[in-house]
Amino acid sequence: MIAALYAIPYVGPLLAFATSRFGLPIVVAGGIIFFYEGVPLGPLADISYVGPELVNLVGGRVGREYAAGEKAEDELWEEKIKLAGIAEAADIKTRQQDIDAAAQAYIDKQHRDAGRIADLVSAQKDEDNAPPDPKNPSGCKPDGISAGVSERLDAIGR
């Protein structure tokens, strides 16, 4: 069989070199490089159905490991993004609860203040309608804003 290969014009000298003392290390080194690096396919790897099969067939170990590492890294990033989304949703929910609590506290304070303001206004009107103090000869009311002035201030928005 090997004698028949020597009969083919171009294979004979190539086979003789590959089995020689200098050629054998080169063939072994080429085989190792081919095993690890594979055949560079270039744009052929991008063909829809044929490309992945060609990469599996003649792609090297380095390319397969690179693709596996890239896939694992993508999965890690997807997990990190998912966890970040969950954390952000929880943070938004907490912030919204804080905003709702502050708004409710403000509304409660307005309701409490409305009752106190109504009490003050009625007390002020009672004071304005009170009879003059006999001890005060001028007949002036005590210091403060009268109900009429207060109502006019309310109309313009104090």
Side-chain angles (χ1 to χ4, degrees):
M1 169 97 177
I2 293 181
L5 288 176
Y6 281 104
I8 300 174
Y10 296 109
V11 176
L14 185 65
L15 193 57
F17 176 74
T19 57
S20 71
R21 186 169 64 147
F22 296 109
L24 187 60
I26 292 173
V27 169
V28 170
I32 291 171
I33 291 172
F34 176 76
F35 174 73
Y36 278 104
E37 294 298 325
V39 175
L41 294 175
L44 291 177
D46 296 333
I47 297 174
S48 297
Y49 297 104
V50 178
E53 294 301 321
L54 281 175
V55 169
N56 288 336
L57 183 65
V58 294
R61 182 173 182 261
V62 174
R64 286 190 296 271
E65 292 298 321
Y66 181 83
E70 188 177 33
K71 182 179 177 185
E73 195 67 27
D74 287 345
E75 289 172 357
L76 284 174
W77 273 107
E78 287 175 7
E79 183 69 23
K80 285 182 182 182
I81 289 171
K82 185 175 91 173
L83 291 176
I86 291 170
E88 185 178 359
D91 186 41
I92 289 172
K93 184 177 179 182
T94 303
R95 285 183 186 179
Q96 187 61 45
Q97 288 174 347
D98 291 344
I99 290 170
D100 292 343
Q104 187 62 42
Y106 179 73
I107 290 170
D108 292 344
K109 185 178 182 299
Q110 281 184 330
H111 288 298
R112 285 193 310 267
D113 288 347
R116 288 182 19 205
I117 289 172
D119 292 343
L120 289 173
V121 167
S122 67
Q124 185 179 19
K125 286 186 180 180
D126 290 345
E127 187 178 299
D128 286 347
N129 295 332
D133 188 9
K135 296 178 184 174
N136 187 355
S138 68
C140 293
K141 300 277 183 191
D143 291 338
I145 299 175
S146 69
V149 172
S150 177
E151 287 173 5
R152 286 190 293 261
L153 286 174
D154 281 341
I156 62 171
R158 60 173 164 161

Coordinates of all heavy atoms in Angstrom, one line a residue, residues 25-92:
P25 N 8.8 15.6 12.8 CA 8.4 16.6 13.9 C 7.5 17.7 13.3 O 6.5 18.2 14.0 CB 9.7 17.2 14.3 CG 10.7 16.2 14.0 CD 10.2 15.5 12.8
I26 N 7.7 18.0 12.1 CA 6.8 19.1 11.4 C 5.4 18.5 11.3 O 4.4 19.2 11.6 CB 7.4 19.5 10.1 CG1 8.7 20.3 10.4 CG2 6.4 20.4 9.3 CD1 9.5 20.7 9.1
V27 N 5.3 17.3 10.9 CA 3.9 16.7 10.7 C 3.3 16.6 12.0 O 2.1 16.9 12.2 CB 4.0 15.3 10.0 CG1 2.7 14.6 10.0 CG2 4.5 15.5 8.5
V28 N 4.0 16.2 13.1 CA 3.4 16.0 14.4 C 3.0 17.4 14.9 O 1.9 17.5 15.5 CB 4.4 15.3 15.4 CG1 3.9 15.4 16.8 CG2 4.6 13.9 14.9
A29 N 3.8 18.4 14.8 CA 3.5 19.7 15.2 C 2.3 20.3 14.5 O 1.4 20.9 15.0 CB 4.7 20.7 15.0
G30 N 2.2 20.0 13.2 CA 1.1 20.4 12.4 C -0.2 19.7 12.8 O -1.3 20.3 12.9
G31 N -0.1 18.4 13.2 CA -1.3 17.7 13.7 C -1.8 18.2 15.0 O -3.0 18.4 15.2
I32 N -0.8 18.6 15.9 CA -1.2 19.2 17.2 C -1.9 20.5 17.0 O -2.9 20.8 17.6 CB 0.0 19.3 18.1 CG1 0.5 17.8 18.5 CG2 -0.3 20.1 19.3 CD1 1.8 17.8 19.3
I33 N -1.3 21.3 16.1 CA -1.9 22.6 15.9 C -3.3 22.5 15.2 O -4.2 23.2 15.6 CB -1.0 23.5 15.0 CG1 0.3 23.9 15.8 CG2 -1.7 24.7 14.4 CD1 1.4 24.5 14.9
F34 N -3.4 21.5 14.3 CA -4.7 21.3 13.7 C -5.7 20.8 14.7 O -6.9 21.2 14.7 CB -4.6 20.2 12.6 CG -5.9 19.9 11.9 CD1 -6.5 20.7 11.1 CD2 -6.5 18.6 12.2 CE1 -7.7 20.4 10.5 CE2 -7.7 18.3 11.7 CZ -8.3 19.1 10.8
F35 N -5.3 20.0 15.7 CA -6.2 19.5 16.7 C -6.7 20.6 17.6 O -7.8 20.7 17.9 CB -5.5 18.4 17.5 CG -6.3 17.9 18.7 CD1 -7.4 17.1 18.5 CD2 -6.0 18.3 20.0 CE1 -8.2 16.7 19.5 CE2 -6.8 17.8 21.0 CZ -7.9 17.0 20.8
Y36 N -5.8 21.5 18.0 CA -6.1 22.5 18.9 C -6.8 23.7 18.2 O -7.7 24.3 18.8 CB -4.9 23.0 19.7 CG -4.6 22.1 20.9 CD1 -3.6 21.2 20.8 CD2 -5.4 22.1 22.0 CE1 -3.3 20.3 21.9 CE2 -5.1 21.3 23.1 CZ -4.1 20.4 23.0 OH -3.8 19.5 24.1
E37 N -6.2 24.1 17.1 CA -6.7 25.3 16.5 C -7.8 25.0 15.4 O -8.7 25.9 15.2 CB -5.6 26.1 15.8 CG -4.6 26.6 16.8 CD -5.2 27.6 17.7 OE1 -6.1 28.4 17.3 OE2 -4.7 27.7 18.9
G38 N -7.7 23.9 14.8 CA -8.7 23.6 13.7 C -8.4 24.3 12.4 O -7.4 25.0 12.3
V39 N -9.3 24.2 11.5 CA -9.2 24.8 10.2 C -9.9 26.2 10.3 O -11.1 26.2 10.7 CB -9.9 23.9 9.1 CG1 -9.9 24.6 7.8 CG2 -9.2 22.6 9.0
P40 N -9.2 27.2 9.9 CA -9.9 28.5 10.0 C -11.0 28.6 8.9 O -10.7 28.5 7.7 CB -8.8 29.5 9.7 CG -7.7 28.7 9.1 CD -7.9 27.3 9.5
L41 N -12.2 28.7 9.3 CA -13.3 28.7 8.4 C -13.7 30.1 7.9 O -14.3 30.2 6.8 CB -14.5 28.0 9.0 CG -14.4 26.6 9.3 CD1 -15.6 26.0 10.1 CD2 -14.1 25.8 8.0
G42 N -13.4 31.1 8.7 CA -13.8 32.5 8.3 C -15.3 32.7 8.1 O -16.1 32.2 9.0
P43 N -15.7 33.2 7.0 CA -17.1 33.5 6.8 C -18.0 32.2 6.6 O -19.2 32.3 6.6 CB -17.2 34.4 5.6 CG -15.9 34.3 4.9 CD -14.9 33.8 6.0
L44 N -17.3 31.1 6.3 CA -18.1 29.9 6.1 C -18.8 29.4 7.4 O -19.8 28.8 7.4 CB -17.2 28.7 5.7 CG -16.6 28.8 4.3 CD1 -15.6 27.7 4.0 CD2 -17.7 28.9 3.2
A45 N -18.3 29.9 8.6 CA -18.9 29.5 9.8 C -20.2 30.2 10.0 O -21.0 29.8 10.9 CB -17.9 29.8 11.0
D46 N -20.5 31.3 9.3 CA -21.7 32.1 9.4 C -22.8 31.6 8.6 O -23.9 32.1 8.6 CB -21.4 33.5 9.1 CG -20.4 34.2 10.0 OD1 -20.4 33.7 11.2 OD2 -19.7 35.1 9.6
I47 N -22.6 30.5 7.8 CA -23.7 30.0 6.9 C -24.7 29.3 7.9 O -24.3 28.6 8.8 CB -23.1 29.0 5.9 CG1 -22.2 29.7 5.0 CG2 -24.3 28.3 5.1 CD1 -21.5 28.7 4.0
S48 N -26.0 29.5 7.6 CA -27.0 29.1 8.5 C -27.0 27.7 9.0 O -26.8 27.5 10.2 CB -28.4 29.3 7.8 OG -28.6 30.7 7.5
Y49 N -27.1 26.7 8.2 CA -27.1 25.3 8.6 C -25.8 24.6 8.6 O -25.5 23.7 9.4 CB -28.2 24.5 7.9 CG -29.6 25.1 8.1 CD1 -30.2 25.9 7.1 CD2 -30.3 24.9 9.2 CE1 -31.4 26.4 7.3 CE2 -31.5 25.4 9.4 CZ -32.1 26.2 8.4 OH -33.3 26.7 8.7
V50 N -25.0 25.0 7.6 CA -23.7 24.3 7.3 C -22.6 24.8 8.3 O -21.8 24.0 8.7 CB -23.3 24.5 5.8 CG1 -22.0 23.8 5.5 CG2 -24.4 24.0 4.9
G51 N -22.7 26.1 8.6 CA -21.6 26.7 9.4 C -21.4 26.0 10.7 O -20.3 25.6 11.1
P52 N -22.4 25.8 11.6 CA -22.2 25.2 12.9 C -21.7 23.7 12.7 O -20.9 23.3 13.5 CB -23.6 25.2 13.5 CG -24.3 26.3 12.9 CD -23.7 26.4 11.5
E53 N -22.2 23.0 11.7 CA -21.7 21.7 11.5 C -20.2 21.6 11.1 O -19.5 20.8 11.5 CB -22.6 20.9 10.5 CG -24.0 20.7 10.9 CD -24.1 19.9 12.2 OE1 -23.3 18.9 12.3 OE2 -24.9 20.2 13.0
L54 N -19.8 22.6 10.2 CA -18.4 22.7 9.8 C -17.5 23.0 11.0 O -16.5 22.4 11.2 CB -18.2 23.7 8.7 CG -18.6 23.3 7.3 CD1 -18.5 24.5 6.4 CD2 -17.7 22.2 6.9
V55 N -18.0 23.9 11.9 CA -17.2 24.3 13.1 C -17.1 23.0 14.0 O -16.0 22.8 14.5 CB -17.9 25.4 13.8 CG1 -17.3 25.6 15.2 CG2 -17.8 26.7 13.0
N56 N -18.2 22.2 14.1 CA -18.1 21.0 14.9 C -17.1 20.0 14.3 O -16.4 19.3 15.0 CB -19.4 20.4 15.2 CG -20.3 21.2 16.1 OD1 -19.8 21.9 16.9 ND2 -21.6 21.1 16.0
L57 N -17.1 19.9 13.0 CA -16.3 18.9 12.3 C -14.8 19.3 12.3 O -14.0 18.5 12.6 CB -16.8 18.8 10.9 CG -16.2 17.7 10.0 CD1 -16.4 16.3 10.6 CD2 -16.7 17.7 8.6
V58 N -14.5 20.5 11.8 CA -13.1 20.8 11.6 C -12.6 22.0 12.6 O -11.5 22.4 12.5 CB -12.8 21.2 10.2 CG1 -13.0 20.0 9.3 CG2 -13.6 22.4 9.7
G59 N -13.5 22.4 13.4 CA -13.1 23.5 14.4 C -12.2 22.8 15.5 O -12.3 21.7 15.8
G60 N -11.3 23.6 16.0 CA -10.4 23.1 17.0 C -10.9 23.1 18.4 O -12.0 23.6 18.7
R61 N -10.1 22.5 19.2 CA -10.5 22.5 20.7 C -10.6 23.8 21.3 O -11.4 24.1 22.1 CB -9.4 21.6 21.4 CG -9.7 21.4 22.8 CD -8.7 20.4 23.4 NE -9.0 20.2 24.8 CZ -8.4 20.7 25.8 NH1 -7.4 21.6 25.6 NH2 -8.7 20.5 27.0
V62 N -9.7 24.7 20.9 CA -9.7 26.1 21.4 C -11.0 26.8 21.1 O -11.6 27.4 22.0 CB -8.4 26.9 20.9 CG1 -8.5 28.3 21.3 CG2 -7.1 26.2 21.3
G63 N -11.4 26.7 19.9 CA -12.7 27.3 19.5 C -13.9 26.7 20.2 O -14.8 27.5 20.7
R64 N -13.9 25.4 20.4 CA -15.0 24.8 21.2 C -15.0 25.3 22.7 O -16.0 25.6 23.2 CB -14.9 23.3 21.1 CG -15.4 22.7 19.8 CD -15.5 21.2 19.8 NE -14.2 20.5 20.1 CZ -13.4 20.1 19.2 NH1 -13.6 20.4 17.9 NH2 -12.3 19.5 19.5
E65 N -13.8 25.3 23.3 CA -13.7 25.8 24.6 C -14.1 27.3 24.7 O -14.7 27.7 25.7 CB -12.3 25.5 25.2 CG -11.9 24.1 25.4 CD -12.9 23.4 26.4 OE1 -13.2 24.0 27.4 OE2 -13.2 22.3 26.1
Y66 N -13.7 28.0 23.8 CA -14.0 29.5 23.7 C -15.5 29.6 23.7 O -16.1 30.5 24.4 CB -13.3 30.2 22.6 CG -13.6 31.6 22.5 CD1 -12.9 32.5 23.2 CD2 -14.6 32.1 21.6 CE1 -13.2 33.9 23.2 CE2 -14.9 33.5 21.6 CZ -14.2 34.3 22.3 OH -14.4 35.7 22.3
A67 N -16.2 28.9 22.8 CA -17.6 29.0 22.7 C -18.3 28.5 24.0 O -19.3 29.1 24.4 CB -18.1 28.1 21.5
A68 N -17.8 27.4 24.6 CA -18.4 27.0 25.8 C -18.2 28.0 26.9 O -19.1 28.3 27.7 CB -17.8 25.7 26.3
G69 N -17.0 28.6 27.0 CA -16.8 29.7 28.0 C -17.7 30.9 27.7 O -18.2 31.5 28.7
E70 N -17.8 31.3 26.5 CA -18.7 32.4 26.1 C -20.1 32.1 26.5 O -20.8 33.0 27.1 CB -18.6 32.7 24.6 CG -19.3 33.9 24.2 CD -19.0 34.1 22.7 OE1 -19.0 33.2 21.9 OE2 -19.0 35.3 22.3
K71 N -20.6 30.9 26.3 CA -22.0 30.5 26.7 C -22.1 30.6 28.2 O -23.1 31.1 28.7 CB -22.3 29.1 26.2 CG -23.7 28.7 26.4 CD -23.9 27.3 25.9 CE -25.3 26.8 26.2 NZ -25.5 25.4 25.8
A72 N -21.2 30.0 28.9 CA -21.2 30.1 30.4 C -21.2 31.5 30.9 O -21.9 31.9 31.9 CB -20.1 29.3 31.0
E73 N -20.4 32.3 30.3 CA -20.3 33.7 30.7 C -21.6 34.5 30.4 O -22.1 35.3 31.2 CB -19.2 34.4 30.0 CG -18.8 35.8 30.6 CD -18.1 35.6 32.0 OE1 -17.6 34.6 32.3 OE2 -18.3 36.6 32.7
D74 N -22.2 34.2 29.3 CA -23.5 34.7 29.0 C -24.6 34.3 30.0 O -25.4 35.1 30.4 CB -24.0 34.3 27.6 CG -23.2 35.0 26.5 OD1 -22.5 36.0 26.8 OD2 -23.3 34.6 25.3
E75 N -24.6 33.1 30.4 CA -25.5 32.6 31.4 C -25.3 33.3 32.7 O -26.3 33.7 33.4 CB -25.4 31.1 31.6 CG -25.9 30.3 30.4 CD -25.6 28.8 30.5 OE1 -25.0 28.4 31.5 OE2 -26.0 28.1 29.6
L76 N -24.1 33.5 33.1 CA -23.8 34.3 34.3 C -24.3 35.7 34.3 O -24.9 36.2 35.2 CB -22.3 34.3 34.6 CG -21.7 33.0 35.2 CD1 -20.2 33.1 35.3 CD2 -22.3 32.7 36.5
W77 N -24.1 36.3 33.1 CA -24.6 37.7 33.0 C -26.1 37.8 33.0 O -26.7 38.7 33.5 CB -24.0 38.3 31.7 CG -22.7 38.9 32.0 CD1 -21.4 38.5 31.6 CD2 -22.4 40.2 32.7 NE1 -20.5 39.3 32.0 CE2 -21.0 40.3 32.7 CE3 -23.2 41.1 33.3 CZ2 -20.4 41.4 33.3 CZ3 -22.6 42.1 34.0 CH2 -21.2 42.3 34.0
E78 N -26.7 36.8 32.3 CA -28.2 36.8 32.3 C -28.7 36.6 33.8 O -29.7 37.3 34.1 CB -28.7 35.7 31.4 CG -28.5 35.9 30.0 CD -29.0 34.7 29.1 OE1 -29.5 33.7 29.7 OE2 -28.7 34.8 27.9
E79 N -28.0 35.8 34.5 CA -28.5 35.6 35.9 C -28.2 36.9 36.7 O -29.1 37.3 37.5 CB -27.7 34.4 36.6 CG -28.0 34.1 38.0 CD -29.4 33.5 38.1 OE1 -29.9 32.9 37.1 OE2 -30.0 33.6 39.2
K80 N -27.1 37.5 36.5 CA -26.8 38.8 37.2 C -27.8 39.9 36.8 O -28.3 40.6 37.7 CB -25.4 39.3 36.9 CG -24.3 38.5 37.6 CD -23.0 39.0 37.3 CE -21.9 38.2 38.0 NZ -20.5 38.8 37.8
I81 N -28.2 39.9 35.6 CA -29.2 40.9 35.1 C -30.5 40.6 35.7 O -31.2 41.5 36.1 CB -29.2 41.0 33.6 CG1 -27.9 41.6 33.0 CG2 -30.4 41.7 33.1 CD1 -27.8 41.5 31.5
K82 N -30.9 39.3 35.8 CA -32.2 39.0 36.4 C -32.2 39.3 37.9 O -33.2 39.9 38.3 CB -32.4 37.5 36.2 CG -33.8 37.0 36.7 CD -34.0 35.5 36.4 CE -33.5 34.7 37.5 NZ -33.8 33.3 37.4
L83 N -31.1 39.0 38.6 CA -31.0 39.4 40.0 C -31.0 40.9 40.2 O -31.7 41.4 41.2 CB -29.8 38.8 40.6 CG -29.8 37.2 40.8 CD1 -28.5 36.7 41.3 CD2 -31.0 36.8 41.7
A84 N -30.4 41.6 39.3 CA -30.4 43.1 39.4 C -31.8 43.6 39.2 O -32.2 44.6 39.8 CB -29.4 43.7 38.4
G85 N -32.5 43.0 38.2 CA -33.9 43.5 38.0 C -34.8 43.2 39.2 O -35.6 44.0 39.5
I86 N -34.6 42.1 39.8 CA -35.4 41.7 41.0 C -35.1 42.7 42.2 O -36.0 43.2 42.8 CB -35.1 40.3 41.5 CG1 -35.7 39.3 40.5 CG2 -35.7 40.0 42.9 CD1 -35.3 37.9 40.7
A87 N -33.8 43.0 42.3 CA -33.4 44.0 43.4 C -33.9 45.4 43.1 O -34.3 46.1 44.0 CB -31.8 44.0 43.5
E88 N -33.9 45.8 41.8 CA -34.4 47.1 41.4 C -35.9 47.2 41.7 O -36.4 48.2 42.1 CB -34.1 47.4 40.0 CG -34.5 48.8 39.5 CD -34.1 49.0 38.1 OE1 -33.5 48.2 37.4 OE2 -34.4 50.2 37.6
A89 N -36.6 46.1 41.3 CA -38.0 46.1 41.6 C -38.4 46.2 43.1 O -39.3 46.9 43.5 CB -38.7 44.8 41.0
A90 N -37.6 45.5 43.9 CA -37.8 45.6 45.3 C -37.5 47.0 45.8 O -38.2 47.5 46.7 CB -36.9 44.5 46.0
D91 N -36.4 47.6 45.3 CA -36.1 48.9 45.7 C -37.1 49.9 45.3 O -37.5 50.8 46.0 CB -34.7 49.3 45.0 CG -34.2 50.6 45.5 OD1 -34.3 50.9 46.7 OD2 -33.7 51.4 44.7
I92 N -37.7 49.8 44.1 CA -38.8 50.6 43.6 C -40.0 50.5 44.5 O -40.7 51.4 44.9 CB -39.1 50.4 42.1 CG1 -37.9 50.9 41.2 CG2 -40.4 51.0 41.7 CD1 -38.1 50.5 39.8

